[in-house]
Amino acid sequence: MFHTQSDVVFIKGLKVDAVIGVFDWERAITQPLLIDIALETDISHAAVSDDVSDALSYKEVCDDVSEWCKEIQAKLLEHLAGQISDKIFAKYDCQKITLSIAKPTAIAQADAVGVQITRYAPASTDELATKEDAKEVNVSQADDA
């Protein structure tokens, strides 16, 4: 499926207190995280219908991401970011995610430190089947030549 629109639902500055870090003292406390998420998704149905049931719920995404941060208790921000993006793709209809997670209290001399990742939705079963069919056609055409 080709997407010609670049619609984005975004969340900026989601604040979550969670266990994060590699040191023993970090495993015994919660630390603040600031999370920004951009979800590339088709909003055209909601734009026409003006019906919330046609929209990707940023409230639900915020609630889920907050819960996942608390459940995962990652040592590394890299791991947490990867886990969150996997969970978002599994639950929500989006084609691309850009996610940043910052620890604002980790380094006294910096406003924040953190990671940013961009991930693309895994190919669906239908897309994989279409690609396999195309390969078979190309192979059979090459055999006929």
Side-chain angles (χ1 to χ4, degrees):
M1 173 187 276
F2 294 100
H3 300 279
T4 57
Q5 297 177 332
S6 290
D7 301 337
V8 174
V9 171
F10 70 90
I11 298 159
K12 186 166 179 62
L14 177 64
K15 296 169 183 68
V16 179
D17 288 323
V19 173
I20 184 82
V22 296
F23 301 110
D24 289 341
W25 65 268
E26 289 180 298
R27 307 305 299 161
I29 63 168
T30 61
Q31 296 183 66
L33 300 174
L34 294 176
I35 302 170
D36 295 337
I37 309 167
L39 305 168
E40 188 173 302
T41 187
D42 183 357
I43 67 168
S44 62
H45 296 296
V48 171
S49 72
D50 199 24
D51 187 337
V52 70
S53 66
D54 291 331
L56 192 153
S57 170
Y58 45 81
K59 164 87 167 86
E60 191 175 334
V61 173
C62 288
D63 291 346
D64 284 340
V65 169
S66 296
E67 182 180 325
W68 296 332
C69 287
K70 293 172 184 177
E71 287 174 358
I72 293 169
Q73 297 190 2
K75 293 178 182 174
L76 300 176
L77 290 175
E78 293 85 346
H79 178 74
L80 181 60
Q83 291 291 303
I84 290 171
S85 69
D86 289 346
K87 289 177 179 293
I88 289 173
F89 280 129
K91 185 166 182 179
Y92 297 98
D93 182 22
C94 57
Q95 295 77 44
K96 177 181 170 185
I97 297 170
T98 300
L99 170 73
S100 66
I101 305 176
K103 288 173 71 173
T105 60
I107 305 293
Q109 301 85 350
D111 288 339
V113 296
V115 300
Q116 178 176 308
I117 64 170
T118 299
R119 298 291 184 267
Y120 295 86
S124 69
T125 308
D126 292 342
E127 289 173 343
L128 290 174
T130 302
K131 288 179 184 177
E132 287 302 314
D133 291 344
K135 284 181 190 176
E136 288 177 22
V137 168
N138 289 337
V139 169
S140 69
Q141 286 174 349
D143 291 342
D144 292 343

